[in-house]
Short mmCIF file of all heavy atoms in Angstrom, two decimals:
data_model
loop_
_atom_site.label_atom_id
_atom_site.label_comp_id
_atom_site.label_asym_id
_atom_site.label_seq_id
_atom_site.Cartn_x
_atom_site.Cartn_y
_atom_site.Cartn_z
N MET A 619 98.91 72.38 24.78
CA MET A 619 98.90 72.79 23.40
C MET A 619 99.73 71.81 22.59
O MET A 619 100.80 71.40 23.00
CB MET A 619 99.47 74.20 23.27
CG MET A 619 99.67 74.65 21.84
SD MET A 619 100.40 76.28 21.71
CE MET A 619 98.98 77.28 22.07
N LYS A 620 99.20 71.43 21.45
CA LYS A 620 99.90 70.49 20.58
C LYS A 620 100.64 71.27 19.49
O LYS A 620 100.06 72.13 18.83
CB LYS A 620 98.89 69.55 19.95
CG LYS A 620 99.48 68.46 19.12
CD LYS A 620 98.35 67.59 18.59
CE LYS A 620 98.87 66.34 17.94
NZ LYS A 620 97.79 65.48 17.49
N LYS A 621 101.93 70.97 19.31
CA LYS A 621 102.74 71.58 18.25
C LYS A 621 103.28 70.46 17.37
O LYS A 621 103.69 69.42 17.87
CB LYS A 621 103.91 72.36 18.84
CG LYS A 621 103.51 73.49 19.77
CD LYS A 621 102.84 74.60 19.04
CE LYS A 621 103.73 75.80 18.97
NZ LYS A 621 103.21 76.88 18.16
N VAL A 622 103.29 70.70 16.07
CA VAL A 622 103.79 69.71 15.12
C VAL A 622 104.87 70.35 14.27
O VAL A 622 104.70 71.46 13.76
CB VAL A 622 102.65 69.17 14.22
CG1 VAL A 622 103.19 68.16 13.21
CG2 VAL A 622 101.55 68.54 15.06
N TYR A 623 105.98 69.63 14.13
CA TYR A 623 107.11 70.10 13.34
C TYR A 623 107.47 69.05 12.30
O TYR A 623 107.48 67.86 12.60
CB TYR A 623 108.33 70.36 14.22
CG TYR A 623 108.07 71.34 15.33
CD1 TYR A 623 107.74 70.90 16.60
CD2 TYR A 623 108.12 72.70 15.10
CE1 TYR A 623 107.48 71.80 17.63
CE2 TYR A 623 107.86 73.61 16.12
CZ TYR A 623 107.55 73.15 17.37
OH TYR A 623 107.28 74.05 18.38
N LEU A 624 107.76 69.50 11.10
CA LEU A 624 108.23 68.61 10.05
C LEU A 624 109.75 68.60 10.11
O LEU A 624 110.38 69.66 10.14
CB LEU A 624 107.75 69.11 8.68
CG LEU A 624 108.15 68.29 7.47
CD1 LEU A 624 107.59 66.88 7.56
CD2 LEU A 624 107.66 68.97 6.20
N LEU A 625 110.34 67.42 10.17
CA LEU A 625 111.79 67.27 10.22
C LEU A 625 112.25 66.80 8.83
O LEU A 625 112.46 65.62 8.60
CB LEU A 625 112.19 66.28 11.31
CG LEU A 625 111.65 66.57 12.71
CD1 LEU A 625 112.10 65.50 13.68
CD2 LEU A 625 112.11 67.94 13.18
N GLU A 626 112.38 67.76 7.94
CA GLU A 626 112.69 67.45 6.54
C GLU A 626 114.08 66.87 6.38
O GLU A 626 115.05 67.43 6.89
CB GLU A 626 112.55 68.74 5.71
CG GLU A 626 112.43 68.51 4.24
CD GLU A 626 112.07 69.79 3.52
OE1 GLU A 626 110.85 70.05 3.40
OE2 GLU A 626 112.98 70.51 3.10
N ASP A 627 114.17 65.76 5.66
CA ASP A 627 115.42 65.03 5.39
C ASP A 627 115.97 64.27 6.59
O ASP A 627 117.16 63.96 6.64
CB ASP A 627 116.51 65.95 4.82
CG ASP A 627 116.11 66.53 3.46
OD1 ASP A 627 115.41 65.84 2.71
OD2 ASP A 627 116.51 67.68 3.17
N LEU A 628 115.13 63.95 7.55
CA LEU A 628 115.54 63.11 8.67
C LEU A 628 115.74 61.69 8.14
O LEU A 628 114.82 61.09 7.60
CB LEU A 628 114.46 63.11 9.76
CG LEU A 628 114.74 62.27 10.99
CD1 LEU A 628 115.92 62.85 11.79
CD2 LEU A 628 113.52 62.20 11.88
N ASP A 629 116.97 61.17 8.27
CA ASP A 629 117.25 59.86 7.69
C ASP A 629 117.92 58.89 8.66
O ASP A 629 118.46 57.87 8.26
CB ASP A 629 118.10 60.01 6.42
CG ASP A 629 119.43 60.69 6.69
OD1 ASP A 629 119.72 61.00 7.85
OD2 ASP A 629 120.18 60.92 5.72
N CYS A 630 117.85 59.20 9.94
CA CYS A 630 118.50 58.36 10.95
C CYS A 630 117.49 58.06 12.07
O CYS A 630 117.13 58.95 12.82
CB CYS A 630 119.73 59.08 11.50
SG CYS A 630 120.48 58.29 12.93
N ALA A 631 117.04 56.82 12.13
CA ALA A 631 116.05 56.43 13.14
C ALA A 631 116.60 56.58 14.55
O ALA A 631 115.88 56.98 15.47
CB ALA A 631 115.59 55.00 12.90
N HIS A 632 117.88 56.27 14.73
CA HIS A 632 118.50 56.40 16.05
C HIS A 632 118.54 57.87 16.48
O HIS A 632 118.27 58.20 17.64
CB HIS A 632 119.91 55.81 16.03
CG HIS A 632 120.57 55.77 17.35
ND1 HIS A 632 120.13 54.97 18.38
CD2 HIS A 632 121.64 56.45 17.84
CE1 HIS A 632 120.89 55.16 19.45
NE2 HIS A 632 121.82 56.06 19.14
N CYS A 633 118.86 58.76 15.55
CA CYS A 633 118.87 60.20 15.84
C CYS A 633 117.46 60.69 16.17
O CYS A 633 117.29 61.54 17.04
CB CYS A 633 119.44 60.98 14.66
SG CYS A 633 121.15 60.55 14.28
N ALA A 634 116.47 60.16 15.46
CA ALA A 634 115.09 60.53 15.73
C ALA A 634 114.71 60.20 17.16
O ALA A 634 114.05 60.98 17.85
CB ALA A 634 114.16 59.82 14.75
N GLN A 635 115.16 59.05 17.63
CA GLN A 635 114.89 58.63 19.00
C GLN A 635 115.57 59.58 20.00
O GLN A 635 114.99 59.96 21.01
CB GLN A 635 115.38 57.20 19.21
CG GLN A 635 115.07 56.63 20.56
CD GLN A 635 115.60 55.21 20.72
OE1 GLN A 635 116.61 54.84 20.14
NE2 GLN A 635 114.92 54.42 21.53
N LYS A 636 116.81 59.98 19.70
CA LYS A 636 117.53 60.91 20.57
C LYS A 636 116.83 62.26 20.61
O LYS A 636 116.70 62.87 21.69
CB LYS A 636 118.97 61.09 20.08
CG LYS A 636 119.85 59.89 20.30
CD LYS A 636 121.24 60.20 19.78
CE LYS A 636 122.20 59.03 19.96
NZ LYS A 636 123.54 59.35 19.45
N ILE A 637 116.37 62.74 19.46
CA ILE A 637 115.65 64.01 19.40
C ILE A 637 114.39 63.94 20.24
O ILE A 637 114.11 64.85 21.03
CB ILE A 637 115.32 64.36 17.92
CG1 ILE A 637 116.61 64.70 17.16
CG2 ILE A 637 114.32 65.51 17.85
CD1 ILE A 637 116.44 64.75 15.65
N GLU A 638 113.64 62.85 20.10
CA GLU A 638 112.40 62.66 20.86
C GLU A 638 112.67 62.74 22.36
O GLU A 638 111.95 63.43 23.09
CB GLU A 638 111.81 61.31 20.49
CG GLU A 638 110.51 60.98 21.19
CD GLU A 638 109.94 59.65 20.72
OE1 GLU A 638 109.39 59.60 19.61
OE2 GLU A 638 110.09 58.67 21.47
N LYS A 639 113.72 62.06 22.82
CA LYS A 639 114.04 62.04 24.26
C LYS A 639 114.49 63.41 24.76
O LYS A 639 114.12 63.83 25.86
CB LYS A 639 115.12 61.00 24.54
CG LYS A 639 114.59 59.59 24.48
CD LYS A 639 115.66 58.58 24.82
CE LYS A 639 115.09 57.18 24.78
NZ LYS A 639 116.07 56.17 25.16
N GLU A 640 115.31 64.12 23.99
CA GLU A 640 115.79 65.44 24.40
C GLU A 640 114.66 66.46 24.48
O GLU A 640 114.59 67.26 25.40
CB GLU A 640 116.88 65.95 23.43
CG GLU A 640 118.21 65.29 23.62
CD GLU A 640 118.92 65.69 24.91
OE1 GLU A 640 118.95 66.89 25.25
OE2 GLU A 640 119.44 64.78 25.58
N VAL A 641 113.78 66.46 23.48
CA VAL A 641 112.65 67.39 23.46
C VAL A 641 111.73 67.11 24.65
O VAL A 641 111.21 68.04 25.27
CB VAL A 641 111.89 67.33 22.12
CG1 VAL A 641 110.59 68.13 22.18
CG2 VAL A 641 112.78 67.83 20.98
N ALA A 642 111.56 65.84 25.00
CA ALA A 642 110.70 65.47 26.14
C ALA A 642 111.22 66.04 27.46
O ALA A 642 110.44 66.25 28.39
CB ALA A 642 110.59 63.96 26.22
N LYS A 643 112.51 66.32 27.53
CA LYS A 643 113.11 66.86 28.76
C LYS A 643 112.91 68.37 28.91
O LYS A 643 113.16 68.92 29.98
CB LYS A 643 114.61 66.57 28.78
CG LYS A 643 114.96 65.11 28.89
CD LYS A 643 116.45 64.92 28.84
CE LYS A 643 116.87 63.46 28.80
NZ LYS A 643 118.33 63.30 28.65
N LEU A 644 112.47 69.05 27.85
CA LEU A 644 112.30 70.50 27.91
C LEU A 644 111.22 70.89 28.91
O LEU A 644 110.23 70.18 29.09
CB LEU A 644 111.92 71.05 26.53
CG LEU A 644 113.00 71.01 25.46
CD1 LEU A 644 112.42 71.46 24.12
CD2 LEU A 644 114.19 71.88 25.83
N ASP A 645 111.42 72.02 29.54
CA ASP A 645 110.48 72.55 30.53
C ASP A 645 109.12 72.80 29.89
O ASP A 645 109.03 73.46 28.86
CB ASP A 645 111.05 73.86 31.11
CG ASP A 645 110.22 74.36 32.27
OD1 ASP A 645 109.71 73.54 33.06
OD2 ASP A 645 110.08 75.60 32.39
N GLY A 646 108.08 72.26 30.48
CA GLY A 646 106.72 72.46 30.00
C GLY A 646 106.24 71.40 29.03
O GLY A 646 105.06 71.37 28.68
N VAL A 647 107.14 70.53 28.57
CA VAL A 647 106.76 69.49 27.62
C VAL A 647 106.28 68.25 28.37
O VAL A 647 106.98 67.73 29.23
CB VAL A 647 107.96 69.12 26.69
CG1 VAL A 647 107.62 67.91 25.84
CG2 VAL A 647 108.34 70.31 25.82
N SER A 648 105.08 67.80 28.04
CA SER A 648 104.54 66.61 28.70
C SER A 648 104.66 65.38 27.80
O SER A 648 104.62 64.26 28.30
CB SER A 648 103.08 66.83 29.09
OG SER A 648 102.30 67.12 27.95
N GLU A 649 104.79 65.60 26.49
CA GLU A 649 104.93 64.47 25.57
C GLU A 649 105.67 64.90 24.31
O GLU A 649 105.48 66.01 23.81
CB GLU A 649 103.55 63.94 25.18
CG GLU A 649 103.60 62.69 24.33
CD GLU A 649 102.22 62.16 23.96
OE1 GLU A 649 101.23 62.61 24.55
OE2 GLU A 649 102.16 61.30 23.08
N SER A 650 106.53 64.01 23.83
CA SER A 650 107.29 64.25 22.60
C SER A 650 107.32 62.95 21.81
O SER A 650 107.65 61.91 22.34
CB SER A 650 108.71 64.69 22.96
OG SER A 650 109.56 64.66 21.84
N LYS A 651 106.95 63.02 20.52
CA LYS A 651 106.92 61.82 19.70
C LYS A 651 107.42 62.14 18.29
O LYS A 651 106.89 63.02 17.64
CB LYS A 651 105.50 61.27 19.63
CG LYS A 651 105.35 60.10 18.68
CD LYS A 651 104.62 58.97 19.34
CE LYS A 651 104.42 57.80 18.41
NZ LYS A 651 105.58 56.97 18.26
N VAL A 652 108.44 61.41 17.86
CA VAL A 652 108.92 61.52 16.49
C VAL A 652 108.40 60.31 15.72
O VAL A 652 108.61 59.18 16.12
CB VAL A 652 110.46 61.57 16.40
CG1 VAL A 652 110.92 61.53 14.95
CG2 VAL A 652 111.02 62.80 17.10
N THR A 653 107.71 60.58 14.62
CA THR A 653 107.28 59.53 13.73
C THR A 653 108.25 59.54 12.56
O THR A 653 108.22 60.43 11.71
CB THR A 653 105.83 59.76 13.24
OG1 THR A 653 104.99 59.94 14.39
CG2 THR A 653 105.33 58.59 12.42
N PHE A 654 109.14 58.57 12.54
CA PHE A 654 110.24 58.54 11.58
C PHE A 654 109.75 58.47 10.14
O PHE A 654 110.26 59.16 9.27
CB PHE A 654 111.18 57.37 11.90
CG PHE A 654 112.38 57.30 10.99
CD1 PHE A 654 113.37 58.27 11.05
CD2 PHE A 654 112.51 56.27 10.08
CE1 PHE A 654 114.46 58.21 10.21
CE2 PHE A 654 113.61 56.19 9.25
CZ PHE A 654 114.59 57.17 9.31
N LEU A 655 108.75 57.64 9.87
CA LEU A 655 108.27 57.46 8.50
C LEU A 655 107.69 58.74 7.89
O LEU A 655 107.87 59.01 6.71
CB LEU A 655 107.24 56.34 8.42
CG LEU A 655 107.78 54.93 8.67
CD1 LEU A 655 106.66 53.91 8.67
CD2 LEU A 655 108.82 54.57 7.62
N THR A 656 107.01 59.53 8.71
CA THR A 656 106.42 60.77 8.20
C THR A 656 107.30 61.99 8.48
O THR A 656 106.96 63.10 8.06
CB THR A 656 105.03 61.01 8.82
OG1 THR A 656 105.17 61.11 10.24
CG2 THR A 656 104.07 59.90 8.45
N GLN A 657 108.39 61.77 9.19
CA GLN A 657 109.33 62.84 9.55
C GLN A 657 108.65 63.96 10.33
O GLN A 657 108.89 65.13 10.10
CB GLN A 657 110.02 63.40 8.30
CG GLN A 657 110.85 62.38 7.57
CD GLN A 657 111.60 62.97 6.40
OE1 GLN A 657 111.24 64.00 5.83
NE2 GLN A 657 112.68 62.32 6.03
N LYS A 658 107.80 63.58 11.27
CA LYS A 658 107.08 64.57 12.07
C LYS A 658 107.42 64.43 13.55
O LYS A 658 107.55 63.32 14.06
CB LYS A 658 105.57 64.41 11.91
CG LYS A 658 105.05 64.93 10.61
CD LYS A 658 103.55 64.84 10.55
CE LYS A 658 103.04 65.26 9.20
NZ LYS A 658 101.60 65.03 9.07
N LEU A 659 107.55 65.56 14.19
CA LEU A 659 107.73 65.64 15.64
C LEU A 659 106.48 66.27 16.21
O LEU A 659 106.12 67.39 15.82
CB LEU A 659 108.96 66.49 15.98
CG LEU A 659 109.12 66.92 17.44
CD1 LEU A 659 109.28 65.72 18.36
CD2 LEU A 659 110.28 67.87 17.58
N THR A 660 105.80 65.57 17.09
CA THR A 660 104.61 66.09 17.75
C THR A 660 104.94 66.30 19.21
O THR A 660 105.45 65.40 19.87
CB THR A 660 103.43 65.10 17.59
OG1 THR A 660 103.26 64.81 16.21
CG2 THR A 660 102.15 65.68 18.16
N VAL A 661 104.65 67.51 19.69
CA VAL A 661 104.99 67.88 21.06
C VAL A 661 103.75 68.41 21.77
O VAL A 661 103.03 69.25 21.23
CB VAL A 661 106.09 68.97 21.09
CG1 VAL A 661 106.46 69.33 22.52
CG2 VAL A 661 107.31 68.54 20.31
N GLU A 662 103.52 67.91 22.96
CA GLU A 662 102.46 68.42 23.83
C GLU A 662 103.15 69.32 24.86
O GLU A 662 104.01 68.86 25.61
CB GLU A 662 101.77 67.24 24.49
CG GLU A 662 100.37 67.43 24.96
CD GLU A 662 99.36 67.95 23.96
OE1 GLU A 662 99.17 67.34 22.90
OE2 GLU A 662 98.75 68.99 24.27
N VAL A 663 102.80 70.61 24.85
CA VAL A 663 103.51 71.58 25.69
C VAL A 663 102.51 72.51 26.37
O VAL A 663 101.43 72.79 25.83
CB VAL A 663 104.52 72.39 24.83
CG1 VAL A 663 103.82 73.19 23.76
CG2 VAL A 663 105.41 73.28 25.68
N GLU A 664 102.88 73.00 27.56
CA GLU A 664 102.05 73.97 28.28
C GLU A 664 101.94 75.24 27.43
O GLU A 664 102.91 75.66 26.80
CB GLU A 664 102.68 74.32 29.62
CG GLU A 664 102.74 73.17 30.60
CD GLU A 664 103.53 73.51 31.86
OE1 GLU A 664 103.87 74.69 32.06
OE2 GLU A 664 103.83 72.58 32.62
N ASP A 665 100.76 75.86 27.42
CA ASP A 665 100.52 77.04 26.59
C ASP A 665 101.55 78.15 26.79
O ASP A 665 102.05 78.73 25.83
CB ASP A 665 99.13 77.60 26.85
CG ASP A 665 98.02 76.69 26.32
OD1 ASP A 665 98.34 75.72 25.61
OD2 ASP A 665 96.85 76.95 26.62
N GLU A 666 101.90 78.40 28.04
CA GLU A 666 102.82 79.51 28.33
C GLU A 666 104.27 79.21 27.93
O GLU A 666 105.10 80.11 27.85
CB GLU A 666 102.76 79.94 29.80
CG GLU A 666 103.10 78.86 30.80
CD GLU A 666 101.92 77.99 31.21
OE1 GLU A 666 100.80 78.17 30.72
OE2 GLU A 666 102.14 77.11 32.06
N LYS A 667 104.58 77.96 27.65
CA LYS A 667 105.94 77.57 27.24
C LYS A 667 106.04 77.40 25.72
O LYS A 667 107.13 77.17 25.20
CB LYS A 667 106.35 76.24 27.90
CG LYS A 667 106.28 76.24 29.41
CD LYS A 667 107.41 77.02 30.01
CE LYS A 667 107.35 76.91 31.53
NZ LYS A 667 108.42 77.59 32.19
N ALA A 668 104.94 77.51 25.02
CA ALA A 668 104.90 77.22 23.57
C ALA A 668 105.61 78.28 22.72
O ALA A 668 106.12 77.97 21.65
CB ALA A 668 103.46 77.07 23.12
N ALA A 669 105.66 79.51 23.21
CA ALA A 669 106.20 80.61 22.41
C ALA A 669 107.65 80.40 21.98
O ALA A 669 108.01 80.66 20.83
CB ALA A 669 106.06 81.92 23.17
N ASP A 670 108.49 79.93 22.89
CA ASP A 670 109.92 79.78 22.55
C ASP A 670 110.30 78.32 22.27
O ASP A 670 111.48 77.99 22.18
CB ASP A 670 110.80 80.36 23.65
CG ASP A 670 110.60 79.69 25.00
OD1 ASP A 670 109.60 79.00 25.18
OD2 ASP A 670 111.47 79.88 25.87
N LEU A 671 109.31 77.47 22.08
CA LEU A 671 109.57 76.05 21.86
C LEU A 671 110.28 75.79 20.53
O LEU A 671 111.20 74.98 20.47
CB LEU A 671 108.26 75.25 21.92
CG LEU A 671 108.41 73.74 21.78
CD1 LEU A 671 109.17 73.16 22.98
CD2 LEU A 671 107.05 73.08 21.65
N PHE A 672 109.88 76.49 19.46
CA PHE A 672 110.45 76.25 18.14
C PHE A 672 111.97 76.38 18.15
O PHE A 672 112.68 75.52 17.63
CB PHE A 672 109.84 77.20 17.11
CG PHE A 672 110.41 77.02 15.73
CD1 PHE A 672 110.09 75.91 14.97
CD2 PHE A 672 111.28 77.96 15.20
CE1 PHE A 672 110.63 75.73 13.70
CE2 PHE A 672 111.81 77.79 13.94
CZ PHE A 672 111.48 76.68 13.18
N ASP A 673 112.48 77.44 18.75
CA ASP A 673 113.94 77.65 18.78
C ASP A 673 114.65 76.55 19.55
O ASP A 673 115.72 76.09 19.15
CB ASP A 673 114.28 79.02 19.40
CG ASP A 673 113.86 80.17 18.50
OD1 ASP A 673 113.83 79.98 17.26
OD2 ASP A 673 113.57 81.25 19.02
N LYS A 674 114.05 76.10 20.64
CA LYS A 674 114.66 75.03 21.44
C LYS A 674 114.65 73.71 20.67
O LYS A 674 115.64 72.97 20.69
CB LYS A 674 113.91 74.88 22.77
CG LYS A 674 114.13 76.05 23.71
CD LYS A 674 113.34 75.89 24.98
CE LYS A 674 113.55 77.08 25.89
NZ LYS A 674 112.76 76.95 27.12
N VAL A 675 113.55 73.42 19.99
CA VAL A 675 113.44 72.19 19.20
C VAL A 675 114.47 72.22 18.07
O VAL A 675 115.17 71.23 17.84
CB VAL A 675 112.01 72.01 18.64
CG1 VAL A 675 111.97 70.95 17.55
CG2 VAL A 675 111.04 71.66 19.76
N LYS A 676 114.56 73.35 17.40
CA LYS A 676 115.50 73.48 16.29
C LYS A 676 116.94 73.25 16.76
O LYS A 676 117.71 72.55 16.09
CB LYS A 676 115.36 74.88 15.68
CG LYS A 676 116.07 75.05 14.37
CD LYS A 676 115.73 76.39 13.76
CE LYS A 676 116.48 76.59 12.48
NZ LYS A 676 116.20 77.89 11.87
N LYS A 677 117.28 73.78 17.91
CA LYS A 677 118.63 73.60 18.45
C LYS A 677 118.92 72.13 18.74
O LYS A 677 120.01 71.62 18.44
CB LYS A 677 118.78 74.45 19.72
CG LYS A 677 120.17 74.50 20.28
CD LYS A 677 120.24 75.44 21.47
CE LYS A 677 121.65 75.49 22.02
NZ LYS A 677 121.76 76.40 23.16
N ILE A 678 117.96 71.43 19.32
CA ILE A 678 118.12 70.00 19.62
C ILE A 678 118.27 69.19 18.33
O ILE A 678 119.15 68.34 18.22
CB ILE A 678 116.93 69.48 20.46
CG1 ILE A 678 117.00 70.06 21.87
CG2 ILE A 678 116.92 67.95 20.51
CD1 ILE A 678 115.77 69.84 22.71
N VAL A 679 117.42 69.48 17.35
CA VAL A 679 117.48 68.74 16.08
C VAL A 679 118.84 68.95 15.42
O VAL A 679 119.48 67.99 14.96
CB VAL A 679 116.34 69.17 15.14
CG1 VAL A 679 116.54 68.59 13.74
CG2 VAL A 679 114.99 68.74 15.70
N LYS A 680 119.31 70.19 15.38
CA LYS A 680 120.60 70.50 14.74
C LYS A 680 121.77 69.83 15.46
O LYS A 680 122.78 69.50 14.84
CB LYS A 680 120.82 72.01 14.68
CG LYS A 680 119.84 72.74 13.78
CD LYS A 680 120.00 72.35 12.34
CE LYS A 680 119.05 73.10 11.44
NZ LYS A 680 119.11 72.69 10.06
N LYS A 681 121.62 69.60 16.75
CA LYS A 681 122.67 68.92 17.53
C LYS A 681 122.88 67.49 17.03
O LYS A 681 124.02 67.03 16.93
CB LYS A 681 122.26 68.93 19.01
CG LYS A 681 123.23 68.26 19.94
CD LYS A 681 122.79 68.53 21.38
CE LYS A 681 122.77 67.28 22.19
NZ LYS A 681 122.30 67.49 23.56
N PHE A 682 121.80 66.81 16.71
CA PHE A 682 121.88 65.41 16.28
C PHE A 682 121.89 65.24 14.76
O PHE A 682 122.50 64.31 14.25
CB PHE A 682 120.72 64.60 16.87
CG PHE A 682 120.76 64.51 18.36
CD1 PHE A 682 119.85 65.19 19.15
CD2 PHE A 682 121.73 63.76 18.99
CE1 PHE A 682 119.89 65.12 20.53
CE2 PHE A 682 121.79 63.67 20.39
CZ PHE A 682 120.87 64.36 21.15
N GLU A 683 121.19 66.11 14.06
CA GLU A 683 121.06 66.03 12.60
C GLU A 683 121.21 67.43 12.00
O GLU A 683 120.22 68.10 11.72
CB GLU A 683 119.69 65.45 12.22
CG GLU A 683 119.58 63.96 12.36
CD GLU A 683 120.17 63.22 11.17
OE1 GLU A 683 120.50 63.84 10.15
OE2 GLU A 683 120.30 62.00 11.27
N PRO A 684 122.45 67.90 11.79
CA PRO A 684 122.68 69.26 11.32
C PRO A 684 122.06 69.60 9.97
O PRO A 684 121.78 70.77 9.69
CB PRO A 684 124.20 69.39 11.24
CG PRO A 684 124.76 68.14 11.79
CD PRO A 684 123.67 67.16 12.03
N ASP A 685 121.80 68.61 9.13
CA ASP A 685 121.26 68.87 7.79
C ASP A 685 119.74 68.84 7.73
O ASP A 685 119.16 69.10 6.67
CB ASP A 685 121.82 67.84 6.80
CG ASP A 685 123.34 67.98 6.63
OD1 ASP A 685 123.85 69.10 6.80
OD2 ASP A 685 123.99 66.96 6.37
N VAL A 686 119.08 68.56 8.83
CA VAL A 686 117.62 68.49 8.83
C VAL A 686 117.02 69.89 8.97
O VAL A 686 117.47 70.69 9.79
CB VAL A 686 117.13 67.59 10.00
CG1 VAL A 686 115.63 67.70 10.20
CG2 VAL A 686 117.51 66.15 9.72
N MET A 687 116.03 70.17 8.14
CA MET A 687 115.29 71.43 8.25
C MET A 687 114.08 71.23 9.14
O MET A 687 113.33 70.26 8.95
CB MET A 687 114.84 71.92 6.87
CG MET A 687 115.94 72.53 6.06
SD MET A 687 115.32 73.34 4.55
CE MET A 687 114.04 74.39 5.17
N VAL A 688 113.89 72.12 10.10
CA VAL A 688 112.75 72.05 11.00
C VAL A 688 111.71 73.07 10.54
O VAL A 688 111.99 74.25 10.45
CB VAL A 688 113.17 72.35 12.46
CG1 VAL A 688 111.96 72.24 13.39
CG2 VAL A 688 114.29 71.43 12.90
N ILE A 689 110.52 72.57 10.23
CA ILE A 689 109.46 73.44 9.72
C ILE A 689 108.25 73.30 10.65
O ILE A 689 107.76 72.20 10.89
CB ILE A 689 109.06 73.03 8.29
CG1 ILE A 689 110.29 73.12 7.38
CG2 ILE A 689 107.91 73.90 7.77
CD1 ILE A 689 110.12 72.41 6.05
N GLU A 690 107.78 74.45 11.15
CA GLU A 690 106.61 74.44 12.05
C GLU A 690 105.36 74.33 11.21
O GLU A 690 105.19 75.05 10.24
CB GLU A 690 106.60 75.71 12.88
CG GLU A 690 105.61 75.69 14.00
CD GLU A 690 105.79 76.82 14.99
OE1 GLU A 690 106.59 77.73 14.72
OE2 GLU A 690 105.15 76.78 16.03
N LYS A 691 104.48 73.39 11.57
CA LYS A 691 103.24 73.20 10.80
C LYS A 691 102.09 73.93 11.44
O LYS A 691 102.08 74.23 12.57
CB LYS A 691 102.92 71.72 10.70
CG LYS A 691 103.96 70.99 9.86
CD LYS A 691 103.47 69.66 9.42
CE LYS A 691 102.64 69.93 8.21
NZ LYS A 691 102.29 68.92 7.35
#
């Protein structure tokens, strides 16, 4: 299942890379990609793991970029 999140006000390319790597380590995630220019995080995740993914992604984003708003598309 593909999930897309908008990372509003993401302004650090290095942090975006860290977020991408941390999300990729989550259980059930097969792919994680942050597109810095569009401020989007695209995640490929197993269907049964998708339900609680938003909270986990939000926690990771806040760890590196506390001022970024995570919006599920």
